Amino acid sequence: MHDFALSRRTLLGGAAALLALPSPAAAAGDGIDFDVRVAGSSIGHHRLAFRRHGEVLRVSIDIRMKVRLLFMTVFDYTQRVEEDWEGERLLRLESTTVDGDNHDAVTAVADTEGIAVRSRRFGERLMPADTWPSTAFWRQAAIRRTRFLDAARGDWREVRIEDRGVEQVIAGGQSRAGHRFHVDTSRDFDVWYGANGDWLKLQWSGFGMTADYVRLT
């Protein structure tokens, strides 16, 4: 998602499933593909691919969005992220983000003291071993957290999360019950999960538009 400090950035896009739920990667199969739409028109995509390497789950995230108005580009965002997880622990993250004229890069590697983060914008810092990136909202357990590593910038992002109940959403061409959560951060967004913990939908507003993540697969 897309990182979750949405200041001309979308949720990136970002921990294990709730204990009562199966693995979110298992629920998603080999991947998740969202069409990102504004006013019904596609402006890009947000895609995740999952691969197992023994006990390590590798997650590759590909985000691309562009909005043109009167032959001018008013919003242009690209992000590539690769994450390695072992259970609920983030082992490694590498991300590159282009947001208009801003170019950012972040790496994070777990070691014996915590997670060593290096970013183009903020330099080097050490974060707690249980840190999750803002891109981890593909895992429903992310809604239990209040602080994330911003996968685009490399700093901290504080969040407040509110349970908005269950409602019907369209995902994969079908109507499904989605549990909705509102995430209050630098730019608010809403995220929906299915009964098995899989990520069904996301919506954010800003810059005079509302973007909807419509799940295709």
Side-chain angles (χ1 to χ4, degrees), residues 164-204:
R164 293 284 176 89
V166 177
E167 57 191 44
Q168 294 298 118
V169 299
I170 300 298
Q174 299 179 342
S175 179
R176 295 181 58 181
H179 199 154
R180 180 178 184 175
F181 297 89
H182 178 74
V183 182
D184 181 0
T185 180
S186 60
R187 187 166 301 278
D188 296 0
F189 62 90
D190 290 88
V191 59
W192 288 256
Y193 299 98
N196 60 351
D198 56 334
W199 183 16
L200 299 182
K201 176 180 168 67
L202 184 139
Q203 182 183 82
W204 59 266

Side-chain angles (χ1 to χ4, degrees), residues 5-111:
L6 288 175
S7 57
R8 283 207 63 194
R9 284 171 298 163
T10 185
L11 219 293
L12 308 171
L18 299 174
L19 294 179
L21 299 173
S23 163
D30 293 331
I32 301 174
D33 187 2
F34 287 102
D35 184 24
V36 183
R37 300 176 186 174
V38 171
S41 297
S42 177
I43 65 164
H45 63 258
H46 184 131
R47 296 170 181 153
L48 300 92
F50 304 103
R51 299 187 303 279
R52 283 265 175 208
H53 301 272
E55 296 299 314
V56 176
L57 174 66
R58 176 158 295 172
V59 184
S60 299
I61 302 172
D62 174 24
I63 302 166
R64 181 75 177 95
M65 295 180 291
K66 179 181 284 190
V67 177
R68 292 179 61 84
L69 181 64
L70 299 177
F71 309 106
M72 296 181 60
T73 298
V74 296
F75 181 78
D76 194 358
Y77 183 93
T78 300
Q79 188 176 61
R80 304 284 186 271
V81 184
E82 190 170 86
E83 304 168 356
D84 286 344
W85 295 83
E86 186 175 27
E88 297 189 356
R89 186 183 181 209
L90 178 71
L91 300 178
R92 182 185 68 90
L93 175 143
E94 294 184 8
S95 77
T96 58
T97 305
V98 179
D99 180 10
D101 295 331
N102 297 319
H103 293 245
D104 285 288
V106 177
T107 62
V109 179
D111 60 25

